[in-house]
Amino acid sequence: MDDARIAVETGVDGVDVVIGTSSFLREHSHGKDMTYIKNTAIEVIEFVKSKGIEIRFSSEDSFRSDLVDLLSLYQAVDKVGVNRVGIADTVGCASPRQVYDLVRTLRGVVSCDIETHFHNDTGCAIANAYCALEAGATHIDTSVLGIGERNGITTLGGLMARMITADRDYVKSKYKLEMIKDIEELVAEAVAVNIPFNNPITGFCAFTHKAGIHAKAILANPSTYEIIDPSDFGIGRYIHFASRLTGWNAIKSRGQQLKIEMTDAQYKEVTAAIKRLADIRPIAIDDADSVIHAYHRNVMMGKKNPGNEVELPNMTDKEKKLLAEKQQEETAVPEKRRLEETVDEELEVEQPVKKARTNGITA
C-alpha cells in the first residue's frame, strides 16, 4: 500500500500491481498466501480508483498457479473495478492450447480488459500471443526485437507478421508498419546487438530467395513462396542469384536488369557457368554480373563455347584447375548419356533376335 501511495503522489496516469501467485513464488519469493494477496490487491485497487487513476492487476507465473485460486483472485479484483487484469507466462512454459483455454475461461469470469505477457523460453511467445487474442485478450505485451529477461518476450515485429496474415486491411489501417524496420535498427544499435538473420520481417533472409525453383515461382507470382508482402512494411524482396543453388530464371531476371538480351538456352548456359564457379569459391553479386557480361561478350563474338571461357577475377591456379576439371566432367556427362542410350538401343534389338532363335525361327 505504501508503494501505491507514493506512485499516486507522483502524478502518474496509471498504476500496475503485480504479484506472484504460483506455489514457487509464494514460497520462495514473497512468502504470502492467497488470502493475503487477494485482500491486499483489493485494498490497493480501491485506493487507486478513489484517486481517479487507472489500475491494472496481474498475477505472475500464472500458468503454474492453481486455476481455482487464480480465477477467484481475478473475479475479486474485477468486482472492485480494476481496469485490466493480466496473465503472465513468466517462465515461458505455456503452450498455445493452454493459453487459449485460460484466456477463454477468464473471459467468462471478468468484464474488464485482459492483458497478456509471454516469455519466449520455449519459442512460443508469438503463437501464445496470437492465441490469446483469439480467445478474447485485449492487450499483448511486446518489445522491440523481443528484448527482455532471458529469451525475451513477444516481439513487436513478429506479432505484426502473424496478425497481418489474418487481417491485412485491419493491421495496415491501425499500425504504421513501415516504421518497424527503423525502430528495430534503432534499438539494435542502442543495445549493441545484431538483428537476427531470420527475424520476422526485418531479418536479412526474411524475403530472400535462393533456390532456383523458389526464384522462378517468386518471379512469376510472389504469393507462391511469400505469405507476407514485404512492401506492406516498406521492404523489398531479394532474389539471391549469386550462388550454386541459383536457377536460370533468376539469372535471366538479373540479365534483363543489366539490359542484356539473350535466348533462354543462353541464359541456361551462363547459369551453368555461374554454378560451376560458385562451387569453386563463394561469389558475390559483382562476380555473377561479370560472368553474365563476359558470357554475353563471348556470344556476340561468336565463340563456340562461350560458357567455358568465363572466369572470376583474380582466380588462383588451383581454382582454374578445379574449374577446368568441372568443365570436363560436365562435358563428359552428355557423351556418357549418349553412349548409354546407344547400348540400350542395341540391347533392345538384340533381345528379340535371341528370343527368335530360341524358338527355332531364323531372324
Side-chain angles (χ1 to χ4, degrees), residues 27-48:
E27 180 179 352
H28 301 291
S29 179
H30 54 71
K32 309 300 183 184
D33 60 25
M34 289 303 297
T35 300
Y36 174 89
I37 291 173
K38 182 186 294 186
N39 292 339
T40 304
I42 292 172
E43 182 183 9
V44 171
I45 291 168
E46 289 179 335
F47 168 74
V48 173

Side-chain angles (χ1 to χ4, degrees), residues 156-232:
L156 174 63
L159 183 59
M160 290 296 102
R162 175 58 265 180
M163 290 175 62
I164 200 169
T165 62
D167 194 334
R168 180 170 176 262
D169 292 338
Y170 171 78
V171 174
K172 286 190 66 177
S173 68
K174 188 174 178 64
Y175 302 101
K176 296 180 180 179
L177 301 177
E178 68 279 1
M179 298 298 296
I180 286 180
K181 186 174 186 293
D182 293 337
I183 292 171
E184 290 191 349
E185 289 177 348
L186 176 67
V187 172
E189 182 179 0
V191 299
V193 299
N194 294 320
I195 295 176
F197 75 94
N198 59 346
N199 196 55
I201 307 301
T202 59
F204 174 75
C205 293
F207 298 105
T208 296
H209 303 274
K210 190 172 184 178
I213 190 171
H214 283 226
K216 177 183 178 181
I218 282 290
L219 290 168
N221 184 341
S223 294
T224 51
Y225 284 101
E226 287 179 352
I227 195 62
I228 298 170
D229 185 347
S231 64
D232 287 341

